[in-house]
Amino acid sequence: MTTPTTSAKKLRGLATRIDFNKYQPSRYVKPRAQFAFEILGILQIEIVPAAPIAQDLPFFPYPKMSFFRSFLVSVSRFALAVPFIASFAIAEPPSKPNFIFFLVDDLGWADLGMNGSTFHETPHIDALANSGMRFTSGYAAASICSPTRASIMTGRHPVRVNITDWLPGMGHDRAYNPRFQHIDDANEMALEEVTIAEVLQESGYATFFAGKWHLGSEGFLPTDQGFDINIGGHDKGSPPGGYYAPWTNPYLQAKTENEYLTERLTAESISFLKSQDGEEPFLLYLSYYNVHTPIQPYQKRVGHYEDKAAKTFSGETPTIAERRGTSRGRQDNPDYASMVAAVDDSVGEILDSLSDLSLDQNTVVIFFSDNGGLTTLGGRIAPTSNLPLRSSKGWLYEGGIREPMIVRAPGVTAAGSVSDTPVVSMDFFPTMLDLAGLPRRGDLHADGESLLPILCGEQTSQTDPIFWHYPHYHGSTWTPGAAIRDGDWKLIEFYEFDEVELYNLRDDIGEQTNLATTKPAKTAELREKLRDWQSVMNAQMPEPNPAYDSTAHFLPPGKKNN
């Protein structure tokens, strides 16, 4: 970066270079705003993109200040502690913002303190939420991992990407007497898909990936999809060999005996941060294997939760019947809580390093989960509870698709702000482009909408429905179905049972009162919207299984008819 210099000559020339007759009232920007933008242009000062002042007009970075104060602050960022009126300081345009994307595996909406958990303790993640914007209705595009991961990478719906199940999906032989045949989708994310990492890489970003990939094996790894570096990402969804060394991850060799996987990924991420010289912006994408099974306790934290559980709870863990499965009715699992704590410790360490390296004021931080917590299973008790949300990973109830979500964008998001607007994982792609000051790529992120207006504090409501299509069987005892959320209304279709359910989420976030029979018009309206969307998207629909026995009783996995 060059040394800033004063610009008295440019100031003296302002009067002859600005046509003051142009600055008449505008329905887009106040005259003084137009005047200020031209001054900045003459002085060759670039404004960091942040909040749009009006459609199709430049961004202005301090939307919560008065305009003139915001203008002064913008210019003074480049000054050498001299009075603003006396001189301007000219510098090279500021660098594009960095990005850190924390993606947690199987973390439930209710697993964090910021969303009401009292058993799990997540002070660092809660602090991140308090320093940025928390989304209470952030949705994954699917209730299982691979499709959501593809939607984040591409800004495209899983149906469009043809990844509608976790890869490679549950074998059809594991579904007891399935009514429908197995649906084949892709086994990896196609190289023809253009990822957010590729777009940022082409724009001069250093790109780093660590952790769970689960979008393809050799030839389809992170380094084939826009990342310069890959630490531990491959085709498997569960950590091979578990969380403690010696693990068997082919793209991450353990350094020490009993090394803990999450600690290692954290250390690699911090090492990448320390290697940055400021010459180019970066994307750090940390995709935790936590808190996916196997549920192995984080030894540094599990003792605390064992003591806490013993003091807090008595009796057996309550359960809730869920069609063919059973849901855990309480968060009281010390092993699982310690795995959540490991993620929280990691987030805290990385954010501390970001601050220590003076990178925090130019780094956007995003926190999200790929699907809901594992709450519902057949024949055994799952590790967490998503209450007050219903059901689990694998299901299209809120417990399977509503995610903990935070975005902190310095100069854009207000500390401690909250948005209730329904948003979905495809929205990250265009949002990151906007924050980076890069042009939208509607040809790529076909199903995503930029969240920048929301991040800037604009009060907005969902205008387009959100759709889910999961025509597969899942180990959580989910059977093929689909769902739509349109405003406060949500409809779920269960193809296996020829049933439909309708809920008003504003009044019934736990989806306990099915209104399908009492609101037939709304039910029909949403079913038609869902059918139309599936037709337009050419979604694969389940086909009848000729071997299906309609007289057989369902039994949980592992049990047999007598």
Side-chain angles (χ1 to χ4, degrees), residues 140-216:
S143 61
I144 57 299
C145 48
S146 299
T148 299
R149 292 166 185 271
S151 75
I152 295 170
M153 283 289 146
T154 65
R156 293 154 67 83
H157 196 281
V159 169
R160 199 183 296 274
V161 182
N162 193 30
I163 299 178
T164 52
D165 201 3
W166 63 275
L167 302 181
M170 188 178 83
H172 209 236
D173 57 339
R174 288 181 57 195
Y176 178 79
N177 190 33
R179 181 177 177 180
F180 298 101
Q181 299 181 52
H182 178 72
I183 287 180
D184 291 320
D185 59 347
N187 289 320
E188 61 276 316
M189 186 169 66
L191 298 180
E192 290 76 16
E193 298 290 347
V194 179
T195 69
I196 183 63
E198 288 175 306
V199 174
L200 292 179
Q201 187 183 58
E202 292 167 0
S203 301
Y205 276 73
T207 53
F208 171 93
F209 182 91
K212 174 173 173 173
W213 178 240
H214 207 187
L215 289 172

Side-chain angles (χ1 to χ4, degrees), residues 7 193 284 473:
S7 186
E193 298 290 347
L284 189 163
Y473 294 86

Side-chain angles (χ1 to χ4, degrees), residues 52 115 166 192 231 242 255 266 312 326 359 384 440 474 554 558:
N115 285 335
W166 63 275
E192 290 76 16
I231 305 293
K255 289 184 176 181
T266 302
T312 306
T326 301
L359 295 169
T384 193
R440 300 272 184 89
H474 187 261
F554 171 80

Side-chain angles (χ1 to χ4, degrees), residues 298-380:
Y298 181 42
Q299 295 300 336
K300 292 182 179 179
R301 291 284 183 264
V302 68
H304 168 73
Y305 290 102
E306 289 173 339
D307 292 343
K308 186 174 183 177
K311 295 175 181 177
T312 306
F313 307 113
S314 61
E316 295 185 356
T317 300
T319 59
I320 303 167
E322 188 64 84
R323 289 190 179 268
R324 295 173 170 179
T326 301
S327 294
R328 191 183 194 99
R330 185 173 70 196
Q331 290 180 354
D332 57 6
N333 184 335
D335 291 352
Y336 183 87
S338 73
M339 295 177 71
V340 174
V343 173
D344 187 70
D345 287 351
S346 171
V347 169
E349 288 183 44
I350 291 172
L351 294 183
D352 284 347
S353 294
L354 196 69
S355 178
D356 292 343
L357 295 167
S358 299
L359 295 169
D360 53 322
Q361 291 306 306
N362 194 38
T363 300
V364 175
V365 180
I366 300 171
F367 183 94
F368 197 62
S369 175
D370 61 349
N371 49 248
L374 182 57
T375 293
T376 308
L377 289 171
R380 64 189 193 279

Side-chain angles (χ1 to χ4, degrees), residues 1-4 78 91-94 279:
M1 186 171 181
T2 59
T3 302
F78 303 91
E92 289 183 352
E279 292 298 315

Side-chain angles (χ1 to χ4, degrees), residues 60-184:
F60 209 78
Y62 300 100
K64 297 171 183 64
M65 299 181 183
S66 68
F67 178 84
F68 196 64
R69 184 185 173 200
S70 181
F71 169 62
L72 293 178
V73 171
S74 298
V75 176
S76 65
R77 291 179 61 201
F78 303 91
L80 289 178
V82 293
F84 169 75
I85 297 177
S87 66
F88 286 91
I90 309 305
E92 289 183 352
S95 59
K96 295 182 176 69
N98 309 306
F99 292 96
I100 292 182
F101 200 121
F102 294 113
L103 182 64
V104 192
D105 195 12
D106 288 3
L107 185 72
W109 180 88
D111 276 335
L112 303 178
M114 71 177 196
N115 285 335
S117 178
T118 56
F119 185 60
H120 305 159
E121 299 169 15
T122 53
H124 300 107
I125 298 171
D126 298 346
L128 174 61
N130 289 333
S131 68
M133 178 173 285
R134 177 170 64 93
F135 287 78
T136 62
S137 299
Y139 286 100
S143 61
I144 57 299
C145 48
S146 299
T148 299
R149 292 166 185 271
S151 75
I152 295 170
M153 283 289 146
T154 65
R156 293 154 67 83
H157 196 281
V159 169
R160 199 183 296 274
V161 182
N162 193 30
I163 299 178
T164 52
D165 201 3
W166 63 275
L167 302 181
M170 188 178 83
H172 209 236
D173 57 339
R174 288 181 57 195
Y176 178 79
N177 190 33
R179 181 177 177 180
F180 298 101
Q181 299 181 52
H182 178 72
I183 287 180
D184 291 320

